[in-house]
């Protein structure tokens, strides 16, 4: 949005915080469900910036969970449940479009 393109931008910082927070929520949900995700290699948050329907700017988020060893339906369910409890997800609910992908 007009910067030099060098250094850290707000979207990068937001993605780092969101992915770390979401991984914590995912681990909590998995623990409560008694599902081991010890092989999980993390969450990637891909944050986009674009125009919204009102003519201003808005964010989008695509969260990708890397959950090897799980069945796809189990991984998808864990991602959905983590999205319900993650503080970042709760804070942005209704404000930005978030999509979830579980890779097994």
């Amino acid at each position: 949005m007009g910067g030099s393109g060098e250094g850290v931008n707000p979207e990068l910082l937001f993605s780092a915080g969101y992915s770390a927070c979401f991984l914590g929520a995912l681990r909590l949900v998995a623990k409560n469900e008694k599902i081991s995700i010890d092989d999980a290699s993390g969450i990637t948050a891909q944050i986009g910036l674009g125009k919204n329907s009102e003519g201003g700017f808005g964010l989008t988020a695509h969260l990708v969970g890397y959950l090897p060893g799980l069945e796809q339906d189990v991984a998808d369910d864990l991602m959905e449940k983590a999205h319900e409890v993650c503080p970042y997800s709760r804070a942005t609910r209704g404000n930005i479009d978030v999509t979830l992908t579980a890779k097994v």
Side-chain angles (χ1 to χ4, degrees):
M1 290 193 39
S4 69
E6 295 179 20
V8 178
N9 62 44
E11 295 80 27
L12 182 61
L13 294 172
F14 183 74
S15 70
Y18 201 164
S19 60
C21 186
F22 197 90
L23 181 58
L26 185 66
R27 291 190 188 281
L28 175 67
V29 167
K31 180 181 175 184
N32 290 343
E33 300 275 328
K34 298 187 183 352
I35 298 171
S36 173
I37 60 167
D38 292 337
D39 292 335
S41 60
I43 299 292
T44 299
Q46 301 163 341
I47 305 301
L49 179 66
K51 293 196 175 195
N52 62 22
S53 61
E54 291 85 37
F57 290 98
L59 296 174
T60 61
H62 181 197
L63 303 175
V64 182
Y66 300 91
L67 303 165
L70 295 180
E71 296 292 326
Q72 187 67 53
D73 61 331
V74 172
D76 291 340
D77 186 56
L78 288 176
M79 291 286 288
E80 288 290 337
K81 288 178 178 175
H83 188 47
E84 291 300 313
V85 300
C86 172
Y88 272 69
S89 292
R90 295 182 73 172
T92 60
R93 189 162 288 119
N95 297 313
I96 68 172
D97 292 327
V98 178
T99 57
L100 306 173
T101 300
K103 297 207 176 197
V104 295

